[in-house]
Amino acid sequence: ATVDVDVDVDPIPAELPVPAAPVRPRFRDIFVPRFGVELTVEEAAWGKSLLRAGYFFERSPAPEQRQQTNYFDNDKHGLSMGAGLQWRDGWDVFPQPLQLDFALQWIHLDQRRHRKLGDVSQVVRSGGYTIGANTGLSFVF
């Protein structure tokens, strides 16, 4: 099937403003210290069970957003905890242990204020938290 459509529309009398070039974001490099521990809770003929915990602090690489850009970012504190189970195969099907892992992570975003410049002065605040979960199945080698 072939369809031809001919539409005769007069130009719309409107002008779109040309936006100003965005300001360079001026992000900076950051160092993110991370700490973690792993503890073997039980080791037996069937395998072993593990507990894990960790912490990190990440400073925001973005400066205060005073112009037209809105690269909102916050300093972050992250806590994580997890568990793992390693099974040794009693039937020699798998040459190495099989590992099942679970993890939870909570990230707190520190409150931050951005004093915007312009025709109307305004303050934008950002903050909050995120929660994440993970599970994985892997072969240890």
PDB file of all heavy atoms in Angstrom, residues 34 56 58 74-80 104-110 127-132:
ATOM      1  N   ARG A  34      37.401   3.625  51.209  1.00  0.00           N
ATOM      2  CA  ARG A  34      36.435   2.552  51.439  1.00  0.00           C
ATOM      3  C   ARG A  34      37.075   1.535  52.391  1.00  0.00           C
ATOM      4  O   ARG A  34      38.249   1.199  52.235  1.00  0.00           O
ATOM      5  CB  ARG A  34      36.057   1.863  50.127  1.00  0.00           C
ATOM      6  CG  ARG A  34      35.364   2.792  49.164  1.00  0.00           C
ATOM      7  CD  ARG A  34      35.076   2.098  47.837  1.00  0.00           C
ATOM      8  NE  ARG A  34      34.529   3.040  46.881  1.00  0.00           N
ATOM      9  CZ  ARG A  34      33.236   3.249  46.676  1.00  0.00           C
ATOM     10  NH1 ARG A  34      32.353   2.583  47.370  1.00  0.00           N
ATOM     11  NH2 ARG A  34      32.834   4.126  45.788  1.00  0.00           N
ATOM     12  N   PHE A  56      31.945   3.669  53.320  1.00  0.00           N
ATOM     13  CA  PHE A  56      32.692   4.601  52.487  1.00  0.00           C
ATOM     14  C   PHE A  56      32.168   6.017  52.688  1.00  0.00           C
ATOM     15  O   PHE A  56      31.034   6.219  53.120  1.00  0.00           O
ATOM     16  CB  PHE A  56      32.653   4.223  50.998  1.00  0.00           C
ATOM     17  CG  PHE A  56      31.322   4.463  50.321  1.00  0.00           C
ATOM     18  CD1 PHE A  56      31.006   5.700  49.791  1.00  0.00           C
ATOM     19  CD2 PHE A  56      30.404   3.441  50.211  1.00  0.00           C
ATOM     20  CE1 PHE A  56      29.792   5.916  49.163  1.00  0.00           C
ATOM     21  CE2 PHE A  56      29.191   3.643  49.588  1.00  0.00           C
ATOM     22  CZ  PHE A  56      28.882   4.886  49.067  1.00  0.00           C
ATOM     23  N   GLU A  58      32.131   9.557  50.329  1.00  0.00           N
ATOM     24  CA  GLU A  58      32.403  10.116  49.008  1.00  0.00           C
ATOM     25  C   GLU A  58      31.993  11.586  48.991  1.00  0.00           C
ATOM     26  O   GLU A  58      30.822  11.918  49.085  1.00  0.00           O
ATOM     27  CB  GLU A  58      31.616   9.352  47.944  1.00  0.00           C
ATOM     28  CG  GLU A  58      31.834   9.857  46.540  1.00  0.00           C
ATOM     29  CD  GLU A  58      31.054   9.048  45.521  1.00  0.00           C
ATOM     30  OE1 GLU A  58      31.037   7.803  45.632  1.00  0.00           O
ATOM     31  OE2 GLU A  58      30.450   9.662  44.636  1.00  0.00           O
ATOM     32  N   ASN A  74      25.597  15.385  46.273  1.00  0.00           N
ATOM     33  CA  ASN A  74      25.787  15.529  47.702  1.00  0.00           C
ATOM     34  C   ASN A  74      26.953  14.686  48.167  1.00  0.00           C
ATOM     35  O   ASN A  74      27.319  13.709  47.518  1.00  0.00           O
ATOM     36  CB  ASN A  74      24.523  15.063  48.447  1.00  0.00           C
ATOM     37  CG  ASN A  74      23.286  15.773  47.991  1.00  0.00           C
ATOM     38  OD1 ASN A  74      22.865  15.646  46.851  1.00  0.00           O
ATOM     39  ND2 ASN A  74      22.693  16.544  48.865  1.00  0.00           N
ATOM     40  N   ASP A  75      27.511  15.049  49.337  1.00  0.00           N
ATOM     41  CA  ASP A  75      28.457  14.163  49.997  1.00  0.00           C
ATOM     42  C   ASP A  75      27.683  12.922  50.427  1.00  0.00           C
ATOM     43  O   ASP A  75      26.508  13.012  50.813  1.00  0.00           O
ATOM     44  CB  ASP A  75      29.066  14.840  51.221  1.00  0.00           C
ATOM     45  CG  ASP A  75      29.960  16.017  50.843  1.00  0.00           C
ATOM     46  OD1 ASP A  75      30.360  16.129  49.672  1.00  0.00           O
ATOM     47  OD2 ASP A  75      30.255  16.828  51.741  1.00  0.00           O
ATOM     48  N   LYS A  76      28.338  11.762  50.371  1.00  0.00           N
ATOM     49  CA  LYS A  76      27.639  10.502  50.632  1.00  0.00           C
ATOM     50  C   LYS A  76      28.382   9.671  51.676  1.00  0.00           C
ATOM     51  O   LYS A  76      29.606   9.588  51.651  1.00  0.00           O
ATOM     52  CB  LYS A  76      27.527   9.681  49.353  1.00  0.00           C
ATOM     53  CG  LYS A  76      26.744  10.348  48.261  1.00  0.00           C
ATOM     54  CD  LYS A  76      26.985   9.633  46.928  1.00  0.00           C
ATOM     55  CE  LYS A  76      26.626  10.502  45.761  1.00  0.00           C
ATOM     56  NZ  LYS A  76      27.546  11.621  45.564  1.00  0.00           N
ATOM     57  N   HIS A  77      27.613   9.047  52.565  1.00  0.00           N
ATOM     58  CA  HIS A  77      28.113   8.057  53.509  1.00  0.00           C
ATOM     59  C   HIS A  77      27.426   6.749  53.159  1.00  0.00           C
ATOM     60  O   HIS A  77      26.192   6.700  53.070  1.00  0.00           O
ATOM     61  CB  HIS A  77      27.760   8.430  54.955  1.00  0.00           C
ATOM     62  CG  HIS A  77      28.367   9.713  55.405  1.00  0.00           C
ATOM     63  ND1 HIS A  77      29.594   9.780  56.007  1.00  0.00           N
ATOM     64  CD2 HIS A  77      27.912  10.992  55.324  1.00  0.00           C
ATOM     65  CE1 HIS A  77      29.873  11.030  56.291  1.00  0.00           C
ATOM     66  NE2 HIS A  77      28.866  11.790  55.879  1.00  0.00           N
ATOM     67  N   GLY A  78      28.190   5.682  52.956  1.00  0.00           N
ATOM     68  CA  GLY A  78      27.605   4.398  52.583  1.00  0.00           C
ATOM     69  C   GLY A  78      27.942   3.311  53.583  1.00  0.00           C
ATOM     70  O   GLY A  78      29.086   3.183  54.008  1.00  0.00           O
ATOM     71  N   LEU A  79      26.932   2.572  53.988  1.00  0.00           N
ATOM     72  CA  LEU A  79      27.106   1.410  54.859  1.00  0.00           C
ATOM     73  C   LEU A  79      26.597   0.179  54.126  1.00  0.00           C
ATOM     74  O   LEU A  79      25.559   0.241  53.457  1.00  0.00           O
ATOM     75  CB  LEU A  79      26.307   1.569  56.150  1.00  0.00           C
ATOM     76  CG  LEU A  79      26.776   2.633  57.120  1.00  0.00           C
ATOM     77  CD1 LEU A  79      25.767   2.799  58.253  1.00  0.00           C
ATOM     78  CD2 LEU A  79      28.138   2.268  57.689  1.00  0.00           C
ATOM     79  N   SER A  80      27.325  -0.914  54.246  1.00  0.00           N
ATOM     80  CA  SER A  80      26.885  -2.146  53.595  1.00  0.00           C
ATOM     81  C   SER A  80      27.112  -3.328  54.529  1.00  0.00           C
ATOM     82  O   SER A  80      27.962  -3.276  55.413  1.00  0.00           O
ATOM     83  CB  SER A  80      27.637  -2.360  52.276  1.00  0.00           C
ATOM     84  OG  SER A  80      29.016  -2.482  52.528  1.00  0.00           O
ATOM     85  N   LEU A 104      23.269  -5.866  51.326  1.00  0.00           N
ATOM     86  CA  LEU A 104      22.409  -4.698  51.466  1.00  0.00           C
ATOM     87  C   LEU A 104      23.299  -3.473  51.591  1.00  0.00           C
ATOM     88  O   LEU A 104      24.365  -3.535  52.206  1.00  0.00           O
ATOM     89  CB  LEU A 104      21.525  -4.795  52.710  1.00  0.00           C
ATOM     90  CG  LEU A 104      20.478  -5.890  52.722  1.00  0.00           C
ATOM     91  CD1 LEU A 104      19.840  -5.977  54.110  1.00  0.00           C
ATOM     92  CD2 LEU A 104      19.421  -5.614  51.675  1.00  0.00           C
ATOM     93  N   GLN A 105      22.842  -2.346  51.023  1.00  0.00           N
ATOM     94  CA  GLN A 105      23.619  -1.117  51.115  1.00  0.00           C
ATOM     95  C   GLN A 105      22.681   0.054  51.365  1.00  0.00           C
ATOM     96  O   GLN A 105      21.611   0.155  50.747  1.00  0.00           O
ATOM     97  CB  GLN A 105      24.405  -0.864  49.829  1.00  0.00           C
ATOM     98  CG  GLN A 105      25.315   0.348  49.919  1.00  0.00           C
ATOM     99  CD  GLN A 105      26.104   0.539  48.641  1.00  0.00           C
ATOM    100  OE1 GLN A 105      25.541   0.639  47.573  1.00  0.00           O
ATOM    101  NE2 GLN A 105      27.423   0.601  48.775  1.00  0.00           N
ATOM    102  N   TRP A 106      23.084   0.923  52.283  1.00  0.00           N
ATOM    103  CA  TRP A 106      22.335   2.141  52.601  1.00  0.00           C
ATOM    104  C   TRP A 106      23.290   3.306  52.363  1.00  0.00           C
ATOM    105  O   TRP A 106      24.409   3.306  52.887  1.00  0.00           O
ATOM    106  CB  TRP A 106      21.871   2.112  54.050  1.00  0.00           C
ATOM    107  CG  TRP A 106      21.180   3.363  54.500  1.00  0.00           C
ATOM    108  CD1 TRP A 106      19.916   3.750  54.185  1.00  0.00           C
ATOM    109  CD2 TRP A 106      21.712   4.371  55.352  1.00  0.00           C
ATOM    110  NE1 TRP A 106      19.632   4.954  54.792  1.00  0.00           N
ATOM    111  CE2 TRP A 106      20.718   5.351  55.510  1.00  0.00           C
ATOM    112  CE3 TRP A 106      22.942   4.556  55.987  1.00  0.00           C
ATOM    113  CZ2 TRP A 106      20.903   6.500  56.280  1.00  0.00           C
ATOM    114  CZ3 TRP A 106      23.124   5.693  56.750  1.00  0.00           C
ATOM    115  CH2 TRP A 106      22.117   6.642  56.891  1.00  0.00           C
ATOM    116  N   ILE A 107      22.872   4.274  51.555  1.00  0.00           N
ATOM    117  CA  ILE A 107      23.693   5.449  51.273  1.00  0.00           C
ATOM    118  C   ILE A 107      22.934   6.683  51.727  1.00  0.00           C
ATOM    119  O   ILE A 107      21.802   6.937  51.282  1.00  0.00           O
ATOM    120  CB  ILE A 107      24.036   5.560  49.777  1.00  0.00           C
ATOM    121  CG1 ILE A 107      24.801   4.329  49.319  1.00  0.00           C
ATOM    122  CG2 ILE A 107      24.850   6.831  49.512  1.00  0.00           C
ATOM    123  CD1 ILE A 107      25.077   4.284  47.834  1.00  0.00           C
ATOM    124  N   HIS A 108      23.548   7.448  52.629  1.00  0.00           N
ATOM    125  CA  HIS A 108      22.970   8.700  53.125  1.00  0.00           C
ATOM    126  C   HIS A 108      23.576   9.857  52.344  1.00  0.00           C
ATOM    127  O   HIS A 108      24.794   9.975  52.243  1.00  0.00           O
ATOM    128  CB  HIS A 108      23.258   8.873  54.618  1.00  0.00           C
ATOM    129  CG  HIS A 108      22.889  10.213  55.137  1.00  0.00           C
ATOM    130  ND1 HIS A 108      21.583  10.570  55.384  1.00  0.00           N
ATOM    131  CD2 HIS A 108      23.643  11.296  55.426  1.00  0.00           C
ATOM    132  CE1 HIS A 108      21.557  11.813  55.815  1.00  0.00           C
ATOM    133  NE2 HIS A 108      22.799  12.272  55.845  1.00  0.00           N
ATOM    134  N   LEU A 109      22.731  10.717  51.777  1.00  0.00           N
ATOM    135  CA  LEU A 109      23.181  11.910  51.059  1.00  0.00           C
ATOM    136  C   LEU A 109      23.027  13.103  51.993  1.00  0.00           C
ATOM    137  O   LEU A 109      21.908  13.453  52.389  1.00  0.00           O
ATOM    138  CB  LEU A 109      22.358  12.139  49.788  1.00  0.00           C
ATOM    139  CG  LEU A 109      22.622  11.161  48.644  1.00  0.00           C
ATOM    140  CD1 LEU A 109      21.909   9.840  48.878  1.00  0.00           C
ATOM    141  CD2 LEU A 109      22.164  11.759  47.348  1.00  0.00           C
ATOM    142  N   ASP A 110      24.151  13.714  52.402  1.00  0.00           N
ATOM    143  CA  ASP A 110      24.113  14.870  53.297  1.00  0.00           C
ATOM    144  C   ASP A 110      23.282  15.995  52.677  1.00  0.00           C
ATOM    145  O   ASP A 110      23.296  16.184  51.455  1.00  0.00           O
ATOM    146  CB  ASP A 110      25.527  15.398  53.571  1.00  0.00           C
ATOM    147  CG  ASP A 110      26.330  14.474  54.469  1.00  0.00           C
ATOM    148  OD1 ASP A 110      25.723  13.610  55.129  1.00  0.00           O
ATOM    149  OD2 ASP A 110      27.567  14.625  54.503  1.00  0.00           O
ATOM    150  N   GLY A 127      19.153  16.193  49.240  1.00  0.00           N
ATOM    151  CA  GLY A 127      19.579  15.264  50.274  1.00  0.00           C
ATOM    152  C   GLY A 127      18.725  14.013  50.186  1.00  0.00           C
ATOM    153  O   GLY A 127      17.863  13.894  49.317  1.00  0.00           O
ATOM    154  N   GLY A 128      18.930  13.097  51.091  1.00  0.00           N
ATOM    155  CA  GLY A 128      18.110  11.894  51.121  1.00  0.00           C
ATOM    156  C   GLY A 128      18.933  10.659  51.375  1.00  0.00           C
ATOM    157  O   GLY A 128      20.010  10.713  51.963  1.00  0.00           O
ATOM    158  N   TYR A 129      18.417   9.536  50.896  1.00  0.00           N
ATOM    159  CA  TYR A 129      19.120   8.272  51.056  1.00  0.00           C
ATOM    160  C   TYR A 129      18.668   7.310  49.968  1.00  0.00           C
ATOM    161  O   TYR A 129      17.628   7.511  49.330  1.00  0.00           O
ATOM    162  CB  TYR A 129      18.876   7.662  52.447  1.00  0.00           C
ATOM    163  CG  TYR A 129      17.447   7.255  52.685  1.00  0.00           C
ATOM    164  CD1 TYR A 129      17.003   5.978  52.375  1.00  0.00           C
ATOM    165  CD2 TYR A 129      16.532   8.162  53.206  1.00  0.00           C
ATOM    166  CE1 TYR A 129      15.690   5.603  52.585  1.00  0.00           C
ATOM    167  CE2 TYR A 129      15.212   7.800  53.423  1.00  0.00           C
ATOM    168  CZ  TYR A 129      14.803   6.524  53.110  1.00  0.00           C
ATOM    169  OH  TYR A 129      13.498   6.168  53.307  1.00  0.00           O
ATOM    170  N   THR A 130      19.465   6.295  49.747  1.00  0.00           N
ATOM    171  CA  THR A 130      19.107   5.211  48.832  1.00  0.00           C
ATOM    172  C   THR A 130      19.359   3.883  49.549  1.00  0.00           C
ATOM    173  O   THR A 130      20.218   3.790  50.428  1.00  0.00           O
ATOM    174  CB  THR A 130      19.917   5.237  47.522  1.00  0.00           C
ATOM    175  OG1 THR A 130      21.294   5.014  47.825  1.00  0.00           O
ATOM    176  CG2 THR A 130      19.776   6.560  46.803  1.00  0.00           C
ATOM    177  N   ILE A 131      18.602   2.899  49.157  1.00  0.00           N
ATOM    178  CA  ILE A 131      18.769   1.549  49.697  1.00  0.00           C
ATOM    179  C   ILE A 131      18.899   0.597  48.511  1.00  0.00           C
ATOM    180  O   ILE A 131      18.142   0.708  47.546  1.00  0.00           O
ATOM    181  CB  ILE A 131      17.569   1.140  50.570  1.00  0.00           C
ATOM    182  CG1 ILE A 131      17.470   2.058  51.786  1.00  0.00           C
ATOM    183  CG2 ILE A 131      17.691  -0.313  51.018  1.00  0.00           C
ATOM    184  CD1 ILE A 131      16.250   1.819  52.640  1.00  0.00           C
ATOM    185  N   GLY A 132      19.860  -0.292  48.586  1.00  0.00           N
ATOM    186  CA  GLY A 132      20.055  -1.253  47.506  1.00  0.00           C
ATOM    187  C   GLY A 132      20.261  -2.653  48.047  1.00  0.00           C
ATOM    188  O   GLY A 132      20.669  -2.834  49.195  1.00  0.00           O
TER     189      GLY A 132
END
